[in-house]
DNA sequence: TACATTTGTATCGTTCACGATTTAATCTCT
DNA sequence: AGAGATTAAATCGTGAACGATACAAATGTA
């Protein structure tokens, strides 16, 4: 990184490929998520709730690294779709508890096949399993560092 | 990937860490870009134009993997800020040519220090140079595969 | 008990991202 | 040359992200 000029090129930076890969990966999910009539961020919220069907906005936000300015509108849309319920916590009136509805819970079965389908669509590609594992390790490490900075 | 249930968890997937890392990395740029009064996508367009100060919307789109539905409004905002000019191509009236203004060109010098500042903010972290290089290689490979699919 | 501080959500405004569609220019092929 | 196909931008509507701010509940402290 000694060359300032070179570092101004897109292809020499890390942020751009992250940004582009993120967008394009999300796009791969889209056709499968369309079948469930949900978006990718909504799918993320559902995955979190499928693990523990009752969590506060704050807890969800910590897992997704999002704040209420993003989550509140997102969760309201999910409430309108009857995927979740939003209720003020009795024990702490500041907090809003999100609970899965029957409907939201039922999507879980349909979603079970999604990761497999995604994996399939990469099956014939020239990235080895070891490379993916090592890649994900560094990605997680990077994410840890970034999350600390935020 | 034998366990479908496990694969439904966020942390086993690649898409979520990419999504989160992309957002958080962009956030690291924000304070530096604020000094130039530009956003991250605007910075990307400028980097492309600093290499070749006259390119069509289409050419820019190919490099950023974005289409006119995203680029047209983005470029219009940049035109309003007097960073670029938008003119119909004479040789092909369908095409719109984007040219850097004096103002847009002049930001280049201020931007030169940004990659260094970003690198500095990761300096004390526990990721080796080799790990980053290998990571970027896989990321680029992944991006290539994704771009082909799109 | 009062009062300042912190915490959890919500709201607002701006900018992106993107699917779907439209329009006009160009290309192709006969 | 003319008809159909392709290409390049633009437009529209929806859903995110996110900084800044507001507000009420809870917590800490004098």
């Amino acid at each position: 990184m000694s060359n300032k000029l070179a570092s101004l090129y897109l292809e020499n930076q890390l942020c751009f490929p992250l940004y582009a890969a993120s967008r394009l990966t999300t796009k791969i999910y889209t056709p499968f998520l369309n079948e469930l009539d949900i978006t990718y961020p909504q799918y993320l919220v559902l995955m979190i709730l499928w693990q523990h069907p009752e969590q506060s906005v704050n807890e969800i936000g910590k897992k997704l690294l999002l704040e209420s300015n993003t989550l509140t509108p997102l969760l309201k849309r999910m409430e309108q779709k009857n995927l979740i319920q939003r209720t003020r916590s009795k024990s702490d009136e500041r907090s809003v508890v999100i609970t899965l509805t029957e409907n939201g819970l039922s999507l879980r079965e349909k979603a079970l096949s999604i990761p497999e389908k995604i994996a399939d669509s990469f099956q014939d590609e020239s990235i080895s399993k070891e490379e993916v594992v090592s890649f994900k390790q560094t990605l997680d490490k990077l994410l840890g560092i970034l999350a600390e900075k935020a």
Side-chain angles (χ1 to χ4, degrees), chain A:
Chain A
M1 284 290 187
S2 59
N3 189 341
K4 276 193 191 181
L5 292 176
S7 66
L8 260 191
Y9 294 116
L10 272 192
E11 57 270 24
N12 293 333
Q13 299 192 9
L14 211 53
C15 190
F16 171 69
L18 277 174
Y19 153 85
S22 167
R23 286 193 297 108
L24 296 187
T25 307
T26 303
K27 260 188 201 174
I28 303 232
Y29 281 76
T30 302
F32 306 119
L33 297 178
N34 280 345
E35 290 177 26
L36 312 190
D37 191 31
I38 54 175
T39 66
Y40 183 72
Q42 290 169 16
Y43 174 59
L44 293 178
V45 170
L46 286 177
M47 277 197 286
I48 286 173
L49 290 171
W50 287 329
Q51 291 187 59
H52 302 288
E54 184 170 323
Q55 295 183 66
S56 72
V57 173
N58 206 0
E59 289 171 311
I60 294 171
K62 275 178 187 154
K63 289 168 185 168
L64 296 183
L65 307 173
L66 289 171
E67 293 171 49
S68 65
N69 53 1
T70 301
L71 280 177
T72 298
L74 175 59
L75 293 169
K76 279 186 176 174
R77 284 187 289 270
M78 294 180 72
E79 187 181 36
Q80 283 194 324
K81 285 185 182 177
N82 192 30
L83 296 169
I84 59 162
Q85 261 191 322
R86 298 163 63 247
T87 38
R88 285 277 161 192
S89 162
K90 288 286 176 194
S91 59
D92 184 342
E93 290 274 345
R94 291 170 303 180
S95 186
V96 167
V97 176
I98 306 299
T99 48
L100 265 181
T101 60
E102 284 288 326
N103 191 19
L105 181 60
S106 72
L107 283 191
R108 185 168 177 272
E109 279 191 52
K110 294 184 190 173
L112 275 177
S113 62
I114 292 181
E116 197 179 23
K117 286 173 186 164
I118 300 290
D120 281 355
S121 78
F122 283 94
Q123 207 167 26
D124 55 342
E125 301 299 345
S126 57
I127 300 192
S128 71
K129 205 160 190 168
E130 296 75 32
E131 191 172 356
V132 173
V133 169
S134 148
F135 177 74
K136 186 163 178 347
Q137 274 174 1
T138 305
L139 181 57
D140 287 341
K141 199 194 277 189
L142 175 65
L143 188 53
I145 292 169
L146 289 166
E148 255 183 34
K149 288 193 192 297

